[in-house]
Amino acid sequence: MFVAVVLLTSALVVVFALLAAAGAGKLARLDGANYSTAIKQSAVAFTAVLTLAAALTAAVAAVWTLS
C-alpha cells in the first residue's frame, strides 16, 4: 500500500512539473522569446518544481523521524 502511494505521488509531482514547464514555455513564447530561450525557461521551471518537491519531502521526512 505504501509503495503505491509513493509511486502515485511521484507521478503527480512529475505531472505538475511538466505542466509548469509547459506553462513557462508558452508564456516565454507569448513574450516573444525564440524557441531555444523558451525551452531553457521550461527546463528551469521543470527543475525548480522537482527541486521544491525534493526539499519538501526531505523536510517532512525529517519532521516525521523526530516524532
Side-chain angles (χ1 to χ4, degrees), residues 12 14-15 17 22-23 27 29-30 32 37-38 40-41 43-45 48 52-53 57-58 62-64:
L12 187 63
V14 170
V15 167
L27 287 174
R29 284 296 293 158
L30 288 174
T37 304
K40 286 179 188 176
Q41 290 181 355
V44 168
L52 178 63
T57 303
V63 169
W64 277 352

Side-chain angles (χ1 to χ4, degrees), residues 9-58:
T9 305
S10 299
L12 187 63
V13 167
V14 170
V15 167
F16 280 137
L18 287 172
L19 285 172
K26 180 64 176 174
L27 287 174
R29 284 296 293 158
L30 288 174
D31 197 34
N34 56 13
Y35 284 111
S36 63
T37 304
I39 290 173
K40 286 179 188 176
Q41 290 181 355
S42 295
V44 168
F46 182 79
T47 306
V49 171
L50 292 182
T51 304
L52 178 63
L56 287 174
T57 303

